[in-house]
mmCIF file of all heavy atoms in Angstrom:
data_model
loop_
_atom_site.group_PDB
_atom_site.id
_atom_site.type_symbol
_atom_site.label_atom_id
_atom_site.label_comp_id
_atom_site.label_asym_id
_atom_site.label_seq_id
_atom_site.Cartn_x
_atom_site.Cartn_y
_atom_site.Cartn_z
ATOM 1 N N GLN A 170 127.724 104.624 84.425
ATOM 2 C CA GLN A 170 127.964 103.295 84.981
ATOM 3 C C GLN A 170 126.706 102.782 85.667
ATOM 4 O O GLN A 170 125.963 103.548 86.281
ATOM 5 C CB GLN A 170 129.114 103.320 85.993
ATOM 6 C CG GLN A 170 129.398 101.964 86.630
ATOM 7 C CD GLN A 170 130.524 102.022 87.667
ATOM 8 O OE1 GLN A 170 131.164 103.048 87.825
ATOM 9 N NE2 GLN A 170 130.757 100.934 88.370
ATOM 10 N N ILE A 172 125.252 99.100 87.994
ATOM 11 C CA ILE A 172 125.658 97.897 88.725
ATOM 12 C C ILE A 172 124.507 96.903 88.684
ATOM 13 O O ILE A 172 123.375 97.236 89.071
ATOM 14 C CB ILE A 172 126.031 98.215 90.175
ATOM 15 C CG1 ILE A 172 127.210 99.200 90.214
ATOM 16 C CG2 ILE A 172 126.392 96.944 90.932
ATOM 17 C CD1 ILE A 172 127.575 99.667 91.611
ATOM 18 N N ASP A 174 123.069 93.486 90.196
ATOM 19 C CA ASP A 174 123.191 92.580 91.339
ATOM 20 C C ASP A 174 122.363 91.332 91.098
ATOM 21 O O ASP A 174 121.158 91.423 90.824
ATOM 22 C CB ASP A 174 122.726 93.264 92.625
ATOM 23 C CG ASP A 174 123.714 94.309 93.114
ATOM 24 O OD1 ASP A 174 124.921 94.005 93.123
ATOM 25 O OD2 ASP A 174 123.285 95.420 93.470
ATOM 26 N N LEU A 248 129.007 96.900 85.997
ATOM 27 C CA LEU A 248 129.643 96.081 87.020
ATOM 28 C C LEU A 248 128.657 95.011 87.463
ATOM 29 O O LEU A 248 127.525 95.319 87.861
ATOM 30 C CB LEU A 248 130.067 96.926 88.222
ATOM 31 C CG LEU A 248 130.669 96.165 89.410
ATOM 32 C CD1 LEU A 248 131.986 95.504 89.023
ATOM 33 C CD2 LEU A 248 130.864 97.077 90.614
ATOM 34 N N ARG A 250 127.687 92.019 90.089
ATOM 35 C CA ARG A 250 127.987 91.570 91.446
ATOM 36 C C ARG A 250 127.127 90.375 91.815
ATOM 37 O O ARG A 250 126.014 90.225 91.323
ATOM 38 C CB ARG A 250 127.747 92.699 92.471
ATOM 39 C CG ARG A 250 128.607 93.911 92.274
ATOM 40 C CD ARG A 250 128.527 94.875 93.437
ATOM 41 N NE ARG A 250 127.183 95.378 93.688
ATOM 42 C CZ ARG A 250 126.903 96.505 94.329
ATOM 43 N NH1 ARG A 250 127.901 97.252 94.776
ATOM 44 N NH2 ARG A 250 125.668 96.900 94.523
ATOM 45 N N ALA A 273 132.569 91.797 90.283
ATOM 46 C CA ALA A 273 133.075 91.648 91.650
ATOM 47 C C ALA A 273 132.159 90.638 92.327
ATOM 48 O O ALA A 273 131.052 90.971 92.762
ATOM 49 C CB ALA A 273 133.063 92.982 92.396
ATOM 50 N N LEU A 368 138.427 94.045 88.103
ATOM 51 C CA LEU A 368 138.939 95.402 88.280
ATOM 52 C C LEU A 368 140.413 95.342 88.667
ATOM 53 O O LEU A 368 140.765 94.672 89.644
ATOM 54 C CB LEU A 368 138.138 96.140 89.354
ATOM 55 C CG LEU A 368 136.668 96.413 89.009
ATOM 56 C CD1 LEU A 368 135.912 96.903 90.225
ATOM 57 C CD2 LEU A 368 136.575 97.430 87.875
ATOM 58 N N ILE A 373 141.812 100.311 91.602
ATOM 59 C CA ILE A 373 141.116 100.360 92.886
ATOM 60 C C ILE A 373 141.856 99.498 93.902
ATOM 61 O O ILE A 373 142.312 98.397 93.584
ATOM 62 C CB ILE A 373 139.646 99.889 92.726
ATOM 63 C CG1 ILE A 373 138.882 100.083 94.025
ATOM 64 C CG2 ILE A 373 139.568 98.459 92.225
ATOM 65 C CD1 ILE A 373 137.374 99.893 93.866
ATOM 66 N N SER A 376 140.928 97.401 99.786
ATOM 67 C CA SER A 376 139.909 97.817 100.750
ATOM 68 C C SER A 376 138.749 98.530 100.067
ATOM 69 O O SER A 376 137.583 98.319 100.411
ATOM 70 C CB SER A 376 140.532 98.720 101.819
ATOM 71 O OG SER A 376 141.092 99.883 101.231
ATOM 72 N N GLU A 377 139.049 99.384 99.090
ATOM 73 C CA GLU A 377 137.986 100.087 98.373
ATOM 74 C C GLU A 377 137.153 99.115 97.554
ATOM 75 O O GLU A 377 135.920 99.262 97.469
ATOM 76 C CB GLU A 377 138.595 101.150 97.454
ATOM 77 C CG GLU A 377 139.198 102.327 98.190
ATOM 78 C CD GLU A 377 139.901 103.288 97.252
ATOM 79 O OE1 GLU A 377 140.340 102.838 96.166
ATOM 80 O OE2 GLU A 377 139.998 104.470 97.593
ATOM 81 N N LEU A 378 137.810 98.144 96.959
ATOM 82 C CA LEU A 378 137.083 97.149 96.170
ATOM 83 C C LEU A 378 136.083 96.419 97.031
ATOM 84 O O LEU A 378 134.917 96.219 96.645
ATOM 85 C CB LEU A 378 138.082 96.183 95.530
ATOM 86 C CG LEU A 378 137.592 95.078 94.573
ATOM 87 C CD1 LEU A 378 136.987 93.878 95.256
ATOM 88 C CD2 LEU A 378 136.653 95.636 93.525
ATOM 89 N N TYR A 379 136.505 96.005 98.214
ATOM 90 C CA TYR A 379 135.624 95.214 99.070
ATOM 91 C C TYR A 379 134.523 96.069 99.695
ATOM 92 O O TYR A 379 133.349 95.696 99.659
ATOM 93 C CB TYR A 379 136.436 94.518 100.169
ATOM 94 C CG TYR A 379 135.663 93.441 100.881
ATOM 95 C CD1 TYR A 379 135.701 92.118 100.448
ATOM 96 C CD2 TYR A 379 134.856 93.733 101.977
ATOM 97 C CE1 TYR A 379 134.966 91.132 101.079
ATOM 98 C CE2 TYR A 379 134.111 92.753 102.612
ATOM 99 C CZ TYR A 379 134.176 91.451 102.161
ATOM 100 O OH TYR A 379 133.433 90.482 102.794
ATOM 101 N N THR A 380 134.896 97.203 100.280
ATOM 102 C CA THR A 380 133.913 97.993 101.032
ATOM 103 C C THR A 380 133.027 98.852 100.146
ATOM 104 O O THR A 380 131.829 98.999 100.406
ATOM 105 C CB THR A 380 134.631 98.890 102.054
ATOM 106 O OG1 THR A 380 135.560 99.742 101.361
ATOM 107 C CG2 THR A 380 135.395 98.051 103.069
ATOM 108 N N ASP A 381 133.603 99.433 99.075
ATOM 109 C CA ASP A 381 132.840 100.369 98.248
ATOM 110 C C ASP A 381 132.161 99.712 97.054
ATOM 111 O O ASP A 381 131.087 100.146 96.637
ATOM 112 C CB ASP A 381 133.751 101.492 97.741
ATOM 113 C CG ASP A 381 134.332 102.319 98.874
ATOM 114 O OD1 ASP A 381 133.775 102.287 99.979
ATOM 115 O OD2 ASP A 381 135.366 102.992 98.653
ATOM 116 N N LYS A 382 132.785 98.689 96.502
ATOM 117 C CA LYS A 382 132.234 98.064 95.306
ATOM 118 C C LYS A 382 131.398 96.826 95.605
ATOM 119 O O LYS A 382 130.341 96.628 95.020
ATOM 120 C CB LYS A 382 133.372 97.695 94.341
ATOM 121 C CG LYS A 382 134.063 98.886 93.712
ATOM 122 C CD LYS A 382 133.113 99.668 92.806
ATOM 123 C CE LYS A 382 133.838 100.798 92.099
ATOM 124 N NZ LYS A 382 132.923 101.588 91.242
ATOM 125 N N TYR A 383 131.893 95.980 96.524
ATOM 126 C CA TYR A 383 131.195 94.709 96.732
ATOM 127 C C TYR A 383 130.145 94.781 97.841
ATOM 128 O O TYR A 383 129.008 94.336 97.646
ATOM 129 C CB TYR A 383 132.184 93.588 97.054
ATOM 130 C CG TYR A 383 131.476 92.285 97.371
ATOM 131 C CD1 TYR A 383 130.874 91.536 96.362
ATOM 132 C CD2 TYR A 383 131.338 91.839 98.683
ATOM 133 C CE1 TYR A 383 130.180 90.376 96.643
ATOM 134 C CE2 TYR A 383 130.650 90.674 98.974
ATOM 135 C CZ TYR A 383 130.075 89.948 97.955
ATOM 136 O OH TYR A 383 129.381 88.809 98.243
ATOM 137 N N CYS A 384 130.505 95.315 99.003
ATOM 138 C CA CYS A 384 129.598 95.249 100.171
ATOM 139 C C CYS A 384 128.225 95.886 99.952
ATOM 140 O O CYS A 384 127.238 95.376 100.482
ATOM 141 C CB CYS A 384 130.273 95.875 101.392
ATOM 142 S SG CYS A 384 131.508 94.796 102.145
ATOM 143 N N PRO A 385 128.092 96.984 99.195
ATOM 144 C CA PRO A 385 126.748 97.549 98.977
ATOM 145 C C PRO A 385 125.779 96.589 98.296
ATOM 146 O O PRO A 385 124.582 96.877 98.221
ATOM 147 C CB PRO A 385 127.029 98.780 98.101
ATOM 148 C CG PRO A 385 128.424 99.172 98.444
ATOM 149 C CD PRO A 385 129.145 97.881 98.675
ATOM 150 N N ARG A 386 126.287 95.461 97.808
ATOM 151 C CA ARG A 386 125.415 94.448 97.216
ATOM 152 C C ARG A 386 124.345 93.989 98.193
ATOM 153 O O ARG A 386 123.248 93.578 97.804
ATOM 154 C CB ARG A 386 126.256 93.252 96.771
ATOM 155 C CG ARG A 386 125.522 92.211 95.966
ATOM 156 C CD ARG A 386 126.324 90.935 95.856
ATOM 157 N NE ARG A 386 126.380 90.258 97.134
ATOM 158 C CZ ARG A 386 125.430 89.450 97.592
ATOM 159 N NH1 ARG A 386 124.355 89.222 96.886
ATOM 160 N NH2 ARG A 386 125.550 88.873 98.768
#
Side-chain angles (χ1 to χ4, degrees):
Q170 179 182 354
I172 299 175
D174 287 315
L248 176 65
R250 298 191 300 202
L368 294 169
I373 186 169
S376 60
E377 290 175 335
L378 184 282
Y379 194 91
T380 58
D381 298 340
K382 291 295 184 181
Y383 176 73
C384 283
R386 188 194 70 83

